[in-house]
Amino acid sequence: MPRIVRGGLIQATLCEPATSPLAKIKQAMVDKHVVLIADAVKRGAQIVCLKELFHSPYFCKAQQAARFDGAEPIPGPTTDRMRALSAELGVVLVVSLFE
């Protein structure tokens, strides 16, 4: 018998101006996505996918070396936070960030 798996896709706008300090943008976006992920799980999502570079302005359409300082190690602070959230909510998270 087939097993139904429900997925959730989240694509959210920046909640801070792109000119704000990158650390402030990242924190605000992670906090925003934690709420959106929890909402998706409440709606039945078992796998939740976030957009590419979900927690920072998308800079890849043009080379902007100033954004390179937003790179993070993997594992690192964002993956640690998402891993804990995944375990807490019992959901698979697909998270993209600049490494």
Side-chain angles (χ1 to χ4, degrees), residues 23-36:
K24 184 176 182 181
I25 294 170
K26 283 177 145 184
Q27 185 60 56
M29 290 301 289
V30 169
D31 292 345
K32 179 178 184 175
H33 280 79
V34 165
V35 172
L36 294 171

Side-chain angles (χ1 to χ4, degrees), residues 58-99:
Y58 188 82
F59 64 91
C60 298
K61 56 189 169 189
Q63 187 171 343
Q64 296 177 13
R67 292 291 183 193
F68 289 0
D69 62 351
E72 290 185 27
I74 297 176
T78 301
T79 55
D80 290 347
R81 176 88 189 268
M82 292 296 140
R83 182 179 10 186
L85 183 63
S86 174
E88 176 188 331
L89 298 176
V91 64
V92 174
L93 296 176
V94 179
V95 178
S96 169
L97 51 92
F98 184 47
E99 62 178 294

